[in-house]
Amino acid sequence: MAETSLTRTAPVAAPWLSPVTRLRIVIIVTIVAVWEAVAASGLLFRDVVPSLVVIGGALVNILTHVDFKVPVDSFELWIPEFYRHLWVTISEVATAMVFGGLAGLVVGLTLGTNPFLANAFERFLYYLGPTPKIIFFPIMIMWFGVGPGSKIAMGTISCFFPVVLSAAAGVRQIDSVLIRVGRSFRVNTWQMVTKIYLPAMREPIINGVRLGLGVAVIGTLLAETKLSNRGVGFLIINAYSTFDMPRMYALLIVLFVVAIGANALVGRASRR
Amino acid sequence: MAASPDPSARPGDGGSASAEPILVVDDIYKQFETQDGVLVAVDHVSFDVKPGEFLSVIGPSGCGKSTLFNIMGGLLDGYGGRVSVAGETVRGPHASIGMIFQEESTFPWRSVIDNVAFPLEIAGMPKAERLEKARHFVDLVGLDGFERRYPSELSGGMRQRVSMARTLASEPKILLMDEPFAALDEQTRLLLGDKVLQIQQDLKQTTLLITHNLTEAVQLSDRILVMTYRPGKTKRIVAIDLPRPRTSEIVGSDAFGHYVAQIWNDLREEASRGMRDDESRRGGARRA
Ligand SMILES: Nc1ncnc2c1ncn2[C@@H]1O[C@H](COP(=O)(O)OP(=O)(O)OP(=O)(O)O)[C@@H](O)[C@H]1O
Ligand SMILES: [Mg+2]
């Protein structure tokens, strides 16, 4: 943002591309060139580094190859199967964000405002926070089955920790005078939370949700790669096990794009 | 030079001499546990305020004024003594008390107008009505034209005026102010003092002003309570017998100068005691 406003305010002396943009272009071109060189040289085992052209072809194939039949009432709708898997993953992550985010927020607010409970429980959150959540997957399968339920549970657990920790820390960094102002105007508990705590905690909450989104995606996809027959994680591990490298790389590219888009969405929501 | 408060000095411009006090501070004692041991912040302070009266509390920095302020507002627990409003013991923020804090206290996520409308919003006033009323108080503190700005876009003095307007908008029966003018320049301070005084007289508001500015205290008050340096006790209560309505012009008069000189005498004693205390403590710390 600073970049664009800079070039806009100083159009006279500005070169046609800013130094940062030029550096980025150089780096990308270099990577592409090295990749292609390695792919063409055949130094590595065949297909481990497929040519970008081949990956591009696989990408087009994934996005457009119609191979899935959806019965809609009396007729049938044909769509590329990929979108069904993408939808499964997105809705799993979204559900996990809702559950994990809300739970994290409520627990974080409670711990942040109650020193006694914080004293009793917060250390456990710090122990569990960095633990790889995949160790809970067997339990989640037993509790919620092999379907989307266990994937959502994994995403929820993953998302919960960053949100709860940043919410608890966020409550404590609220300027105490703002809370005294609220009390002096005799706000009730609900008003205190919605009109003072939450707005005052905007930044830590958004940071927590950002981190939470990242780990929710990881948790869900990891669970999909372990045991499932649906979702992008399943597609990727499937491509890997059939050694379809171009398809695997293409799926990873789609995943990056989706992740960047989701992060941008959170960023936009945070800018009110 | 008796250090005890003079009970006869209590004219109360707004309230008649016979009126029951609306705010009673009875033998307040508050101590804090600190690393260096127990610190007595307020040491058995008592006074009362008549309806419509303007009382100032003046004392050197660190003498316990803000502590007393928070106790009166029902925001601080664990003290000895009793605060009562209209005969009712204060056990938390009281409906008829409005507070203006010493610290920066605007809500940074609300625009000026929404900050000022906050207490009205809490009271459930319809939107159009509360914005209208808030606008009136924004104008009153001289911030018209800044309604849509956010606190981060204002100067420190302007932000302090926003929090003043916010509390004034709730139209409290009793107004407690903790150094509300501290961040303002001398001219704004005088003009805003006039405004506050005018509102106070119009609404027959009982007002308690905490300050360490002598001119401000004499300009506005019916009575001034002078506090001692730590532990904060009542050193003296001085009645200011200057005619009302007053404006900032009174600052030039002889009678005004007389009061200032009298109270300054008391204050200087306490302030220098405070500074000696700080110095010896610093020396002690260095030796330790
Ligand atoms: N929460 C607290 N814990 C420990 N000590 C405190 C606490 N609050 C205040 N004090 C101490 O109590 C004393 C009185 O503080 P207070 O804020 O009431 O002073 P003040 O008269 O308002 O000073 P100023 O004019 O500088 O605002 C100070 O020595 C301060 O360090
Ligand atoms: Mg103070």
Side-chain angles (χ1 to χ4, degrees), chain B residues 30-35 37 39-42 59-70 76 102-103 178-179 210-212 227-230 232 281:
Chain B
K30 173 77 191 175
Q31 60 182 37
F32 291 109
E33 315 281 339
T34 66
Q35 296 109 306
L39 185 142
V40 179
V42 183
S61 181
C63 75
K65 303 183 298 293
S66 295
T67 308
L68 190 60
F69 169 82
N70 283 311
L76 199 56
Q102 176 175 19
E103 302 95 324
D178 192 0
E179 304 193 23
I210 287 170
T211 179
H212 42 215
M227 277 179 84
T228 62
Y229 182 70
R230 259 187 324 244
R281 182 175 326 208

Side-chain angles (χ1 to χ4, degrees), chain A residues 175-188 191 195-197 199-202 272, chain B residues 70 74-75 93-95 97 99 101 103-107 109-110 118-119 121-122 166-167 170:
Chain A
D175 194 351
S176 80
V177 74
L178 300 182
I179 294 165
R180 276 186 286 144
V181 168
R183 288 180 57 204
S184 83
F185 288 125
R186 293 152 57 90
V187 299
N188 59 36
Q191 289 166 327
K195 290 187 193 291
I196 295 182
Y197 281 169
M201 292 164 57
R202 233 171 74 89
R272 82 172 73 216
Chain B
N70 283 311
L75 298 176
H94 195 277
I97 289 183
M99 307 174 78
F101 294 84
E103 302 95 324
E104 183 80 61
S105 70
T106 50
F107 298 126
W109 58 88
R110 283 177 173 246
F118 181 79
E121 189 179 319
I122 295 302
R166 182 178 59 192
T167 300
S170 68

Side-chain angles (χ1 to χ4, degrees), chain B residues 159-200:
Chain B
R159 283 198 287 269
Q160 189 58 20
R161 274 138 77 190
V162 173
S163 25
M164 283 189 77
R166 182 178 59 192
T167 300
L168 291 174
S170 68
E171 298 185 329
K173 280 213 201 66
I174 303 172
L175 182 61
L176 306 183
M177 299 190 274
D178 192 0
E179 304 193 23
F181 307 116
L184 306 178
D185 60 79
E186 194 60 26
Q187 297 86 296
T188 318
R189 177 200 294 265
L190 287 174
L191 293 177
L192 210 58
D194 283 350
K195 291 255 176 67
V196 168
L197 205 53
Q198 191 189 322
I199 302 170
Q200 189 254 340

Side-chain angles (χ1 to χ4, degrees), chain A residues 155-184:
Chain A
T156 304
I157 295 175
S158 307
C159 166
F160 173 77
F161 286 92
V163 175
V164 72
L165 291 178
S166 37
V171 176
R172 297 195 190 103
Q173 55 93 62
I174 299 177
D175 194 351
S176 80
V177 74
L178 300 182
I179 294 165
R180 276 186 286 144
V181 168
R183 288 180 57 204
S184 83

